[in-house]
Amino acid sequence: MEFEETCRRAAEAIRNAGGLVITAGAGMGVDSGLPDFRGEKGFWQAYPMYERLGLSFVEAANPDHFARDPGFGWGFYGHRTNLYRETVPHPGFALLLSWIERFRLDYFVVTSNVDGQFQKAGFSGERLLEVHGSIHHLQCTTPCSMNIWDNNETIPVDTATMRARAIPRCIHCNAVARPNILMFGDYGWISARTARQEERFVRFQDEGRRGPLVVVELGAGTAIPTIRYLSERLGRQPQASVIRINPREARIDAPHLSLPCGALEGLRGIERNLQFPR
Ligand SMILES: [Zn+2]
């Protein structure tokens, strides 16, 4: 199907929808200037220091660093904390919010991103599921309690060595604190905050709605397929439709819609057809 025709159908689905689920992966942040760590090359392009050390993304995103060498562990996560704090969400976020308002859509966001960009763009934290947790929240490394608290720390990082000059500490026991993010090979992640978000998402799915459900999936790759499976599962509901926006892996079975492009380009294409319906 031609690109513009797909955008037209996507716009029609959104106009007639009662509920909207936005599912997002790393590709959603690319238009805001964020690296997506896709493949080793993508990761090393963003962090040349780890290429010199021969560390892959999987090895850098490992909770063991916080126990063995907290300055090194916090180098990676401190740098990302600062980056995500500085990042301005691209205009695609505002387009989604405008559709929610214009068509009075009941919505929920499910993201594998830990960057907090949806909240920053104005989405409600009560309508959000962060499946891998959030960099803007901390927990104890031990952990001495199941507590999760806001990350208000200033974490300067020496980008030449990727070492943090300050180490966040547990507010209870003063052990090293870590981001409340599910890392690779992670047995210490406290899932309580994400579990509460999950409960809200289950309730959202149980609610009655005046129209069909539309899923807009943005930049969710096949490498970690959780988000794609969720979109497809929601798409099996009667009359539900999935709009998969992805520059490299856009394939999805009909009658669902596939837009092979970046998140912002796809959202703009749909917006064009919402403003000027043929
Ligand atoms: Zn503690």
Side-chain angles (χ1 to χ4, degrees):
M1 206 190 307
E2 182 226 336
F3 184 80
E4 208 56 30
E5 172 62 13
T6 310
C7 289
R8 193 191 63 77
R9 291 197 192 184
E12 194 173 271
I14 287 163
R15 209 180 289 120
N16 298 320
L20 171 69
V21 177
I22 298 158
T23 57
M28 180 57 169
V30 169
D31 294 310
S32 308
L34 292 174
D36 77 350
F37 304 151
R38 192 175 186 278
E40 234 146 67
K41 282 225 177 86
F43 176 61
W44 285 342
Q45 237 161 37
Y47 292 101
M49 174 61 191
Y50 294 117
E51 180 169 21
R52 289 196 287 277
L53 294 172
L55 272 187
S56 68
F57 174 54
V58 173
E59 286 158 340
N62 190 303
D64 289 348
H65 297 302
F66 292 99
R68 275 206 302 257
D69 187 354
F72 187 75
W74 267 112
F76 184 42
Y77 284 95
H79 186 274
R80 289 173 66 196
T81 302
N82 299 336
L83 177 66
Y84 299 150
R85 281 176 181 164
E86 287 158 14
T87 298
V88 178
H90 64 73
F93 288 89
L95 282 180
L96 289 164
L97 278 173
S98 77
W99 300 346
I100 289 163
E101 203 170 303
R102 239 186 298 171
F103 304 107
R104 281 180 287 119
L105 299 173
D106 199 10
Y107 80 92
F108 214 95
V109 176
V110 183
T111 179
S112 59
N113 300 332
V114 300
D115 55 23
Q117 297 299 300
F118 277 98
Q119 296 97 310
K120 203 172 193 183
F123 288 82
S124 164
E126 300 288 305
R127 292 168 174 272
L128 179 72
L129 168 54
E130 296 165 297
V131 293
H132 293 163
S134 160
I135 206 162
H136 305 295
H137 292 79
L138 300 178
Q139 62 162 85
C140 182
T141 42
T142 307
C144 68
S145 79
M146 293 292 113
N147 223 356
I148 295 164
W149 62 95
D150 291 348
N151 179 359
N152 297 317
E153 307 271 344
T154 305
I155 312 155
V157 174
D158 182 342
T159 46
T161 58
M162 285 308 284
R163 297 187 66 86
R165 295 201 197 94
I167 310 290
R169 298 270 162 187
C170 174
I171 54 172
H172 304 292
C173 75
N174 206 44
V176 174
R178 52 165 276 188
N180 181 232
I181 292 177
L182 177 64
M183 299 176 196
F184 294 99
D186 194 349
Y187 300 97
W189 181 57
I190 298 173
S191 62
R193 182 172 171 273
T194 293
R196 281 194 300 275
Q197 295 178 334
E198 239 155 28
E199 283 166 21
R200 284 187 214 115
F201 184 49
V202 168
R203 281 202 296 277
F204 168 87
Q205 292 176 75
D206 289 343
E207 282 162 16
R209 250 173 277 284
R210 60 182 166 77
L213 188 73
V214 171
V215 180
V216 177
E217 185 193 272
L218 300 140
T222 51
I224 301 170
T226 328
I227 295 291
R228 289 172 80 96
Y229 287 154
L230 172 67
S231 308
E232 286 160 18
R233 180 173 66 73
L234 293 169
R236 283 194 285 272
Q237 292 180 18
Q239 295 178 305
S241 40
V242 181
I243 303 158
R244 172 164 283 162
I245 304 176
N246 194 307
R248 283 172 296 253
E249 302 166 307
R251 228 208 82 78
I252 191 163
D253 289 335
H256 301 300
L257 301 168
S258 164
L259 288 173
C261 62
L264 181 54
E265 187 187 347
L267 294 169
R268 280 189 169 144
I270 299 170
E271 170 68 11
R272 219 168 25 240
N273 285 273
L274 282 170
Q275 282 190 357
F276 309 105
R278 268 184 271 173

